[in-house]
Amino acid sequence: MIQREAEVKNKVTAVALTDSVHNVWHQEVGKSIREWMRENCCNWVSSSEPLDTSVESMLPDCPRVSAGTERHELTSWKSFPSIFKFFSEAVEAKNSAVKPTPTRRSNRIKYEEL
């Protein structure tokens, strides 16, 4: 993403991680990438908390929620329903945010502007 930020942002709607140990602070990641990750990523982590309960993070890069299991090897499987809901909501939000195409009339100079 560091090398192709604009391309990734245009093509990727959401990113789901499961018990990821990534750390953007060890890389030369700009503020815009960190903000994009906060808004478009979610990490389902091993935790004794119920599925989707918010989990504290020491680093503010990607929101963390409980996978509903303390076993690392089960985090993906236990999180699937929540992950697919996350993807569906992200796609729906992106599609509803699409701006209408301007018409010729909206591009005309208004009489007051002459």
Side-chain angles (χ1 to χ4, degrees), residues 51-111:
L51 180 65
D52 289 333
T53 302
S54 184
V55 175
E56 272 299 310
S57 176
M58 290 191 288
L59 301 173
D61 62 346
C62 180
R64 295 166 29 118
V65 295
S66 174
T69 181
E70 293 182 78
R71 293 180 55 192
H72 168 77
E73 63 272 15
L74 295 179
T75 56
S76 296
W77 180 80
K78 296 282 263 179
S79 303
F80 279 155
S82 183
I83 290 170
F84 289 121
K85 180 180 177 189
F86 172 71
F87 285 152
S88 294
E89 290 172 354
V91 168
E92 188 175 307
K94 183 177 181 178
N95 289 341
S96 67
V98 174
K99 297 176 185 169
T101 306
T103 61
R104 287 186 62 190
R105 181 179 174 100
S106 65
N107 289 330
R108 289 186 189 151
I109 298 173
K110 295 179 182 173
Y111 177 74

